[in-house]
Amino acid sequence: EAAVTQSPRNKVTVTGGNVTLSCRQTNSHNYMYWYRQDTGHGLRLIHYSYGAGNLQIGDVPDGYKATRTTQEDFFLLLELASPSQTSLYFCASSAQISNERLFFGHGTKLSVL
Amino acid sequence: GEKVEQHESTLSVREGDSAVINCTYTDTASSYFPWYKQEAGKSLHFVIDIRSNVDRKQSQRLIVLLDKKAKRFSLHITATQPEDSAIYFCAASRSNNRIFFGDGTQLVVKP
């Protein structure tokens, strides 16, 4: 079973704060994704990557940066956090971009006060 | 891009009855249709998928039907049990393109 580990599990910050969410996958998957989940909006794709150094823009990228430092590690950065970014964030990975299941991490609950 | 719609935001059934969750998609080139389950307070995990070369797939109590002409696919859960209560997400993708999710259907199985 593919393992996707997110940290931290919970994070509280203030408006304007700087936050980094971390994700590591240990299944040698090429693709990694950051989603946010909000009631009424389902899952929304923020950024994704197909390998170290690569970054692709998702559907709701504004206010977020991301960086894929290695095949295993994908980070989501909120440099000036806003209350609208309060959400549940999921990282996921897959071997290929399509026709392959995604493996999700446990999620990070972020609260921006 | 692709748009995937789930028609039921919530669905309530009696234990032992069948549940059906319906999804539609817009991209005729979509060829892969997975379903994910999210139990309360937990993450999503894959439950079943179907590819466009077939129109039906079954895994134990889960059946997925695909109607390519109507661009519609559905998840049937037979003999529902309390542990089937969860949010179910349908999704679609075409070759060499990212996946698109529906907004989820909250299934409640009442005893």
Side-chain angles (χ1 to χ4, degrees):
Chain A
E1 181 77 6
V4 180
T5 304
Q6 292 182 236
S7 61
R9 295 292 292 268
N10 291 280
K11 176 73 177 178
V12 180
T13 190
V14 295
T15 300
N18 193 320
V19 176
T20 298
L21 306 185
S22 302
C23 179
R24 166 166 281 203
Q25 56 96 5
T26 58
N27 231 43
S28 301
H29 283 169
N30 294 316
Y31 287 84
M32 295 185 75
Y33 312 82
W34 278 107
Y35 289 92
R36 59 179 289 174
Q37 183 179 25
D38 306 286
T39 303
H41 290 281
L43 283 171
R44 292 184 288 177
L45 181 64
I46 305 170
H47 290 296
Y48 64 105
S49 166
Y50 60 72
N54 175 264
L55 183 65
Q56 303 292 316
I57 294 172
D59 300 323
V60 289
D62 292 348
Y64 301 96
K65 292 184 178 179
T67 181
R68 181 93 175 266
T69 54
T70 65
Q71 185 176 33
E72 294 78 20
D73 298 301
F74 195 29
F75 300 93
L76 186 67
L77 297 82
L78 292 74
E79 294 183 332
L80 288 171
S82 71
S84 65
Q85 294 176 308
T86 293
S87 187
L88 181 58
Y89 291 86
F90 286 105
C91 176
S93 73
S94 65
Q96 298 299 329
I97 186 68
S98 59
N99 298 322
E100 295 277 349
R101 66 183 70 176
L102 272 64
F103 293 85
F104 286 85
H106 288 290
T108 295
K109 186 173 182 180
L110 175 66
S111 297
V112 184
L113 306 178
Chain B
E2 172 72 280
K3 184 168 174 60
V4 178
E5 290 194 25
Q6 288 189 237
H7 297 268
E8 302 86 5
S9 58
T10 60
L11 179 63
S12 181
V13 299
R14 289 283 178 196
E15 183 177 353
D17 289 348
S18 292
V20 182
I21 301 171
N22 296 289
C23 290
T24 54
Y25 61 98
T26 57
D27 187 351
T28 53
S30 286
S31 58
Y32 178 63
F33 306 90
W35 289 84
Y36 293 83
K37 177 182 181 182
Q38 184 181 29
E39 296 169 56
K42 296 189 176 181
S43 187
L44 289 81
H45 67 269
F46 169 89
V47 290
I48 192 170
D49 60 12
I50 191 167
R51 300 176 193 272
S52 58
N53 59 337
V54 297
D55 55 19
R56 184 182 190 278
K57 183 175 181 179
Q58 182 167 1
S59 174
Q60 298 180 320
R61 295 185 297 107
L62 302 180
I63 300 169
V64 180
L65 302 178
L66 174 63
D67 181 343
K68 293 188 288 291
K69 281 187 178 179
K71 288 188 281 186
R72 181 173 58 218
F73 59 114
S74 56
L75 175 66
H76 298 245
I77 306 174
T78 62
T80 53
Q81 301 169 0
E83 54 264 38
D84 294 327
S85 293
I87 301 175
Y88 290 83
F89 291 92
C90 62
S93 72
R94 66 190 309 186
S95 290
N96 300 317
N97 200 9
R98 47 152 291 202
I99 200 165
F100 290 83
F101 284 92
D103 285 343
T105 296
Q106 175 77 61
L107 174 65
V108 177
V109 179
K110 296 181 178 179

